[in-house]
Amino acid sequence: MAEVSEVLMSVLSTIRVPRPGDRVHKDECALSFSSPESEGGLYVCMNSFLGFGSQYVDRHHTRSGQRAYLHISRTRKAPKEDDENSGSGDPPKKKPTRLAIGIEGGFNVEQEQYEEEVKVVLFPDRQQVTSDDLATMPDVVRERVSLAMAGLMSADSVSHTLQVQQWDGELRAESRHAVELKQLNNGTKIPPSGWRCEVCDLQENLWMNLSDGRVFCGRRYFDGSGGNNHALLHFQQTGHPLAVKLGTITPDGADVYSYDEDDMVLDPKLPEHLSHFGIDMMTMEKTEHTMTELEIAVNQRVGEWEVIQESGATLRPLSGPGLTGMKNLGNSCYLNSVMQVLFTVPDFQSKYVSNIDKIFNEAPSDPTQDFKTQVAKLGYGLLSGEYSKPAPDPGEGSEPSSEPRGDQVGIAARMFKALVGRGHPEFSTNRQQDAQEFLLHFINMVERNCRSGVNPSEAFRFLVEERIVCQQSQKAKYTQRVDYILQLPVPMDQATNTEELQEAERRREEADSSGAPPPVPVRACIPFTACMAALSEPETLTDFWSSAAQAKTTATKTTRFASFPDHMVIQVKKFTFGQDWVPKKLDVSIDVPDTLDLTALRGTGQQPGEELLPEVAPPPLMTPDVEVKAPVLDDSTLSQLCEMGFPLEACRKAVYYTGNTGIDAAMNWVMGHMDDPDFSAPLVLPGTSSAPGTTPTESFSEEHLATIVSMGFSRDQATRALRATSNVLERAVDWIFSHLDDLESMEVSEGGRSAAESEGSREPPPGPKVRDGPGKYELFAFISHMGTSTMCGHYVCHIKKDQQWVIFNDQKVCASEKPPKDLGYLYFYRRVTE
């Protein structure tokens, strides 16, 4: 022990005590998914606080020279039974009473109980030092090492902090209508019980309007349950904004909903508002589930196998290389599904997994912050099969269950999720997200990190050709843009079961009027051929400014492929807006084919004898007698559009290009241009811009400019990106990589200088690199969504492996018996080579 004491004394200066702000990685290896629960435990460097599994700790010691590591190992405790779970073998679980994470009464994220062993290990000889051993060592050694050990063990790990941010879904804002709410003196008095909807006589899910005391049923849920929307209809007819849910009123409060603010709210004057209609809040008792309790029930069910709807069959669990499940980190199923599919693509496998040793050897000192390292780590974790093992039966310690459940140990991609979501307003949170938006976000990050070398996102990249023909002059304009996803429209008027849908709607209306339970919903059946026809048919542009006619006229726009990628991603546009501009999901079944031939949709470019529209910009906006250089925009229309959540610059363009003619025209412009690549780019008027990339009043951060220029772009391009994104660096980088085709004319050369600045450089650089080939494809994967919105619900993916469809539902990986190919959201095809 004296020898060990001398070694500790020699490395004492390298042993640090964690301070506030230090990043402590004590739950996950920086280069693998090893954890303290894994075989061999986890080694935490006592200087950098990076964690390493037993297979990588020697590598770190050799590269860094660090010798002292805190070794943490955990083994599961045998579960205890209680009265509630007698005989089940499951540990007692405290039921959540609050829609929250990380606070008392919320969802418990540390459900497993472990026995923990901690000791210091000195490399390269792996000499071990326990707390008892420290007691026999010199005071200076004992105090310093003990403080470091205690500090490491008490510090919050990075992964835990990022995964389980304290979140409270019950925090509600005070309604802006509450304090000045006008209540009608109509003599209405509400009894303490026996309520019914005034329209349909429902006796549950009832809401009393706080302005007039009228009682109506709540909203109908997506599955047909709930109410019949009569409380909502009453608000739409009267504008009375606040309603209280009857049956939730207690002396402590009640559920109050603001239809105008579209959210649950607080009413600080609730006792007074209830008393106006004869309700004594202090004597009321709870008889209905609160909205929070209903949401908790949904959150508790969302991870169950039944949710994926391959019901009625016992699915066979699968394991092995390429069959590894991913833990749900709290609404991370969108990320899990996308990454499972991407690592089925050979380009991503060869870029990140085949070169993993080279990537790890070249990793920076902190590999947790390196994009390439973390993607390689995730890819290897999914493909190697090392983590594709059945999860231990909760009732028998580590013994497998006799019933095949499909659950795996799997991998928890906390470090990866934190890195790819860093700085993003949505992907950095624990909220549910749109899988399509995340796919594009990740592709942008790949583009950003692969400016030199092999770029796997080229597998999805293709060119779109847009042909616009002026109907007055019959002259054409051709443009090309880069895209990664084909968005497929859903023509609801082409449903093959129209009569059945009409009959279902008739029965629903009868149920609404009679108060009967709503009928079973009927799903619209849309032919895939109808969707493709809607995609390829010409679009009429009514406000097209023709440079040939020098006036606004009608034009037709036709979209075709200028190239076909190796892998085609198709997004079914299931999410749309209703007549009231409320987002909704189309409940449709589409007979998506296993094979696809897009050859007929290849663009042909300018035709023989076809004249092109001259390159002349439209005139600036004019007032009746003065030409202005700043647009005169209707503030009211602009504010209404912005309140709907659309980008400011898109709203400005909508108001400008519709000539201040009102909200309806502007809204139609927005809906018709949402897919434009420059939808959110600034409104630039002819004659108002100065030299390229600058305006007299603009001021951009030199640090931000230098960062973008260091990526190989010119200063003009960096300026344009910052201008388009309000000088926000992260957004500017995303913008510039999603507008590469728009930047072709702003020539880029090595070192960030424009070609005009480079002596001897006269040839413009090539456009974005795209692969091309036959337009014939076969389906190999699809991602499905369940729920009413991309912001809620659940995602799973199906992937074809060796001619067998496999379902990946977070940690559950099973052979799929009836893959629901007609209900997918994102479809992935690969080129068929003849």
Side-chain angles (χ1 to χ4, degrees):
M1 194 53 64
E3 179 184 352
V4 174
S5 179
E6 290 178 8
V7 174
L8 268 177
M9 181 68 78
S10 67
V11 300
L12 205 58
S13 61
T14 68
I15 297 178
R16 296 174 51 218
V17 178
R19 295 172 295 183
D22 281 337
R23 300 169 58 87
V24 178
H25 297 274
K26 61 179 184 178
D27 287 337
E28 182 181 345
C29 172
L31 300 176
S32 72
F33 291 96
S34 296
S35 70
E37 296 85 51
S38 303
E39 185 177 351
L42 192 72
Y43 295 81
V44 181
C45 173
M46 299 184 76
N47 180 268
S48 66
F49 309 133
L50 293 171
F52 296 93
S54 56
Q55 71 273 45
Y56 289 113
V57 64
D58 287 300
R59 177 199 294 253
H60 183 260
H61 158 66
T62 302
R63 290 187 61 181
S64 67
Q66 296 297 325
R67 299 187 62 185
Y69 293 80
L70 186 69
H71 181 254
I72 309 173
S73 62
R74 299 191 192 116
T75 54
R76 283 184 72 194
K77 293 180 180 178
K80 297 178 181 179
E81 296 182 357
D82 64 356
D83 293 337
E84 181 178 338
N85 293 310
S86 179
S88 69
D90 290 333
K93 296 179 181 179
K94 192 174 181 180
K95 289 187 177 180
T97 58
R98 190 173 183 83
L99 188 64
I101 295 175
I103 65 176
E104 181 64 27
F107 284 89
N108 180 17
V109 295
E110 296 290 351
Q111 293 180 352
E112 305 281 6
Q113 298 297 317
Y114 293 94
E115 293 179 350
E116 198 166 55
E117 182 182 356
V118 179
K119 58 194 173 190
V120 175
V121 178
L122 301 173
F123 282 72
D125 298 327
R126 298 203 180 216
Q127 297 161 301
Q128 299 182 4
V129 182
T130 65
S131 297
D132 292 340
D133 296 332
L134 285 174
T136 65
M137 295 185 180
D139 291 348
V140 64
V141 174
R142 181 181 69 252
E143 291 177 4
R144 180 62 174 268
V145 177
S146 296
L147 278 174
M149 292 176 67
L152 278 169
M153 295 310 298
S154 62
D156 284 334
S157 68
V158 172
S159 60
H160 184 273
T161 303
L162 291 169
Q163 176 203 4
V164 191
Q165 302 163 349
Q166 192 176 86
W167 168 77
D168 191 345
E170 291 185 56
L171 289 178
R172 296 171 182 172
E174 181 178 314
S175 172
R176 63 173 178 262
H177 301 290
V179 174
E180 303 294 333
L181 184 70
K182 294 181 179 179
Q183 294 187 284
L184 304 183
N185 292 313
N186 54 9
T188 298
K189 297 298 177 183
I190 303 298
S193 61
W195 312 294
R196 293 175 181 269
C197 173
E198 295 183 20
V199 177
C200 64
D201 280 345
L202 274 182
Q203 300 180 47
E204 58 184 20
N205 191 20
L206 299 176
W207 296 77
M208 184 192 78
N209 192 286
L210 288 173
S211 293
D212 56 17
R214 304 283 298 278
V215 177
F216 299 99
C217 59
R219 298 181 192 241
R220 178 185 293 108
Y221 304 141
F222 73 95
D223 60 356
S225 62
N228 293 313
N229 294 331
H230 290 138
L232 173 62
L233 292 173
H234 182 66
F235 159 71
Q236 293 171 342
Q237 293 166 0
T238 65
H240 298 159
L242 300 184
V244 61
K245 186 175 185 183
L246 297 175
T248 68
I249 304 171
T250 69
D252 297 323
D255 276 356
V256 178
Y257 190 82
S258 170
Y259 287 100
D260 180 55
E261 296 159 287
D262 196 21
D263 205 354
M264 302 296 296
V265 295
L266 293 178
D267 178 2
K269 301 179 74 174
L270 183 60
E272 176 185 329
H273 292 154
L274 292 173
S275 177
H276 181 84
F277 297 109
I279 298 177
D280 183 357
M281 187 171 168
M282 302 307 295
T283 63
M284 298 296 290
E285 294 183 358
K286 179 174 170 294
T287 59
E288 281 237 359
H289 289 302
T290 65
M291 299 306 291
T292 294
E293 290 167 341
L294 294 173
E295 288 192 60
I296 288 173
V298 171
N299 277 278
Q300 287 180 305
R301 291 196 304 268
V302 76
E304 295 175 353
W305 188 240
E306 289 77 12
V307 175
I308 64 167
Q309 294 305 304
E310 281 202 48
S311 56
T314 302
L315 300 180
R316 176 170 55 91
L318 299 176
S319 60
L323 298 169
T324 303
M326 295 180 68
K327 295 180 181 178
N328 193 315
L329 307 178
N331 288 325
S332 65
C333 52
Y334 69 92
L335 178 149
N336 295 351
S337 297
V338 169
M339 298 313 300
Q340 289 281 12
V341 174
L342 286 184
F343 274 107
T344 307
V345 176
D347 296 78
F348 283 86
Q349 294 176 355
S350 59
K351 170 72 177 181
Y352 294 109
V353 182
S354 300
N355 294 320
I356 191 167
D357 289 333
K358 182 175 183 290
I359 292 172
F360 283 1
N361 288 333
E362 296 174 354
S365 57
D366 185 357
T368 69
Q369 301 302 299
D370 183 60
F371 178 80
K372 195 185 328 184
T373 301
Q374 291 308 310
V375 177
K377 166 185 163 180
L378 175 61
Y380 181 81
L382 291 175
L383 298 179
S384 66
E386 289 185 12
Y387 308 97
S388 182
K389 302 172 183 177
D393 191 310
E396 300 294 337
S398 60
E399 292 297 320
S401 168
S402 59
E403 291 284 336
R405 296 177 297 131
D407 296 75
Q408 293 186 5
V409 173
I411 58 178
R414 296 187 183 96
M415 208 172 281
F416 172 82
K417 183 177 184 294
L419 183 62
V420 298
R422 187 176 58 194
H424 193 281
E426 291 298 331
F427 300 128
S428 61
T429 70
N430 282 337
R431 295 190 292 269
Q432 183 63 278
Q433 305 298 335
D434 186 340
Q436 180 258 359
E437 290 181 3
F438 176 75
L439 173 60
L440 287 179
H441 171 72
F442 182 73
I443 286 177
N444 278 337
M445 295 196 75
V446 173
E447 295 275 9
R448 189 188 314 169
N449 286 274
C450 295
R451 284 187 58 78
S452 59
V454 177
N455 184 347
S457 65
E458 290 174 6
F460 300 114
R461 188 190 297 160
F462 60 94
L463 287 176
V464 176
E465 176 189 283
E466 291 184 344
R467 176 177 180 260
I468 299 177
V469 178
C470 167
Q471 294 301 293
Q472 183 171 334
S473 66
Q474 290 302 308
K475 294 182 179 181
K477 174 184 179 181
Y478 288 87
T479 58
Q480 287 189 347
R481 58 179 171 83
V482 171
D483 215 331
Y484 296 88
I485 295 178
L486 173 64
Q487 294 187 317
L488 193 65
V490 181
M492 295 297 291
D493 58 342
Q494 297 296 311
T496 57
N497 58 337
T498 304
E499 292 184 1
E500 188 180 0
L501 291 169
Q502 292 173 345
E503 176 63 19
E505 178 64 17
R506 186 188 63 77
R507 292 198 304 268
R508 187 191 65 79
E509 291 175 354
E510 286 181 355
D512 287 348
S513 59
S514 65
V520 177
V522 175
R523 179 174 291 124
C525 298
I526 312 294
F528 183 79
T529 52
C531 298
M532 294 302 296
L535 173 72
S536 59
E537 67 183 13
E539 174 187 354
T540 301
L541 307 178
T542 55
D543 273 336
F544 177 73
W545 191 86
S546 170
S547 57
Q550 288 292 299
K552 282 188 177 181
T553 183
T554 302
T556 57
K557 182 174 79 171
T558 306
T559 302
R560 293 291 184 267
F561 291 95
S563 68
F564 289 122
D566 288 349
H567 293 75
M568 178 67 72
V569 185
I570 297 179
Q571 176 197 13
V572 177
K573 296 178 71 173
K574 289 187 173 185
F575 299 95
T576 183
F577 291 92
Q579 293 182 351
D580 53 1
W581 301 113
V582 175
K584 67 175 184 177
K585 179 180 176 181
L586 302 177
D587 187 15
V588 295
S589 169
I590 301 176
D591 57 337
V592 176
D594 289 322
T595 59
L596 185 63
D597 189 351
L598 300 175
T599 306
L601 293 180
R602 183 182 284 276
T604 56
Q606 184 179 358
Q607 299 299 296
E610 185 177 49
E611 291 188 59
L612 298 181
L613 285 165
E615 294 291 336
V616 180
L621 186 69
M622 302 287 291
T623 59
D625 52 359
V626 180
E627 178 180 333
V628 294
K629 292 197 173 184
V632 178
L633 303 178
D634 178 36
D635 289 337
S636 174
T637 304
L638 188 63
S639 298
Q640 290 181 67
L641 288 175
C642 290
E643 287 175 0
M644 294 179 187
F646 298 111
L648 172 61
E649 289 299 334
C651 299
R652 294 182 73 235
K653 286 192 285 190
V655 178
Y656 171 64
Y657 286 118
T658 55
N660 292 322
T661 55
I663 183 63
D664 290 339
M667 194 66 225
N668 288 334
W669 187 95
V670 167
M671 300 307 295
H673 292 78
M674 287 183 70
D675 296 333
D676 292 356
D678 59 348
F679 179 66
S680 302
L683 170 63
V684 178
L685 301 178
T688 62
S689 58
S690 304
T694 63
T695 66
T697 58
E698 285 177 319
S699 176
F700 298 111
S701 164
E702 285 298 325
E703 181 181 353
H704 291 177
L705 286 168
T707 299
I708 299 176
V709 167
S710 69
M711 297 179 181
F713 295 101
S714 70
R715 186 179 178 87
D716 286 345
Q717 291 173 323
T719 302
R720 183 175 174 186
L722 289 169
R723 183 192 300 116
T725 55
S726 304
N727 205 23
V728 178
L729 178 60
E730 287 289 333
R731 290 177 56 204
V733 172
D734 285 339
W735 185 93
I736 205 167
F737 280 100
S738 61
H739 290 75
L740 291 175
D741 53 326
D742 297 337
L743 303 176
E744 281 185 62
S745 59
M746 304 178 69
E747 303 157 27
V748 183
S749 64
E750 293 299 321
R753 298 168 58 207
S754 69
E757 296 169 333
S758 303
E759 291 186 18
S761 178
R762 295 292 181 265
E763 291 296 322
K769 184 178 179 181
V770 294
R771 305 172 189 174
D772 199 3
K776 296 182 178 181
Y777 296 91
E778 64 178 357
L779 183 68
F780 74 91
F782 62 95
I783 294 175
S784 305
H785 172 266
M786 290 161 285
T788 56
S789 164
T790 55
M791 300 297 106
C792 65
H794 187 55
Y795 287 97
V796 300
C797 69
H798 288 73
I799 303 175
K800 202 170 188 179
K801 303 258 186 180
D802 298 325
Q803 303 305 310
Q804 164 71 59
W805 282 101
V806 179
I807 183 169
F808 292 81
N809 181 25
D810 293 333
Q811 281 176 263
K812 299 179 175 71
V813 180
C814 295
S816 172
E817 295 195 354
K818 295 180 180 178
K821 288 182 283 187
D822 60 322
L823 302 179
Y825 174 49
L826 296 175
Y827 294 88
F828 296 78
Y829 286 83
R830 57 186 164 219
R831 194 194 315 278
V832 176
T833 54
E834 296 179 358

